Amino acid sequence: MDLSQSCSQYLEQSVPKEFSNQIQDNSASIDFELIEKVQNRRYLYDTEDLKHNNKHVVRTAWTETATELGRGVDDVECKKKWKSSCDYYRKRRSLNKGKSGQE
């Protein structure tokens, strides 16, 4: 599964309940406000969206997302945080799949 599929599933499925306690305990791992902002801009993570390959549109969207968050971070930091959240979700999902297969 590539990152875009992982992020897409991340938004469409929301955060599974079995991760909620772990996620709340690790606020650096998943930023729910950022997820909400990115969800409104599907082309940031969906490689099938025609706007996804338009660098100007994507850069502008990350800049707008950073501004909306209002935390003094720039577009590059927002994108890093988004990737980090997707990676964290994918890792947690993978770990839980391994555990459920052992039971």
Side-chain angles (χ1 to χ4, degrees):
M1 177 182 308
D2 67 23
L3 179 61
S4 64
Q5 289 173 327
S6 177
C7 291
S8 175
Q9 288 178 348
Y10 185 47
L11 289 175
E12 291 167 4
Q13 296 173 0
S14 188
V15 178
K17 289 181 182 176
E18 67 258 22
F19 301 144
S20 62
N21 292 339
Q22 296 161 344
I23 291 167
Q24 290 170 357
D25 292 341
N26 190 353
S27 61
S29 298
I30 295 187
D31 183 333
F32 292 102
E33 188 177 5
L34 176 60
I35 292 167
E36 183 181 320
K37 303 294 183 195
V38 172
Q39 189 172 22
N40 295 329
R41 297 171 172 94
R42 185 175 190 91
Y43 51 89
L44 290 177
Y45 63 90
D46 184 357
T47 57
E48 303 281 323
D49 193 300
L50 296 175
K51 291 181 183 179
H52 182 77
N53 293 322
N54 185 325
K55 290 180 182 182
H56 177 71
V57 169
V58 170
R59 180 71 185 252
T60 300
W62 281 117
T63 301
E64 290 171 354
T65 301
T67 301
E68 288 174 14
L69 288 172
R71 298 183 194 155
V73 296
D74 63 7
D75 59 321
V76 174
E77 287 299 314
C78 275
K79 189 173 181 178
K80 281 183 191 177
K81 184 64 176 173
W82 169 248
K83 183 182 182 315
S84 174
S85 293
C86 287
D87 290 347
Y88 178 80
Y89 169 72
R90 184 174 37 191
K91 180 179 177 181
R92 298 305 308 173
R93 197 179 83 182
S94 174
L95 289 174
N96 277 349
K97 279 186 177 181
K99 287 179 183 178
S100 65
Q102 295 172 354
E103 293 179 347

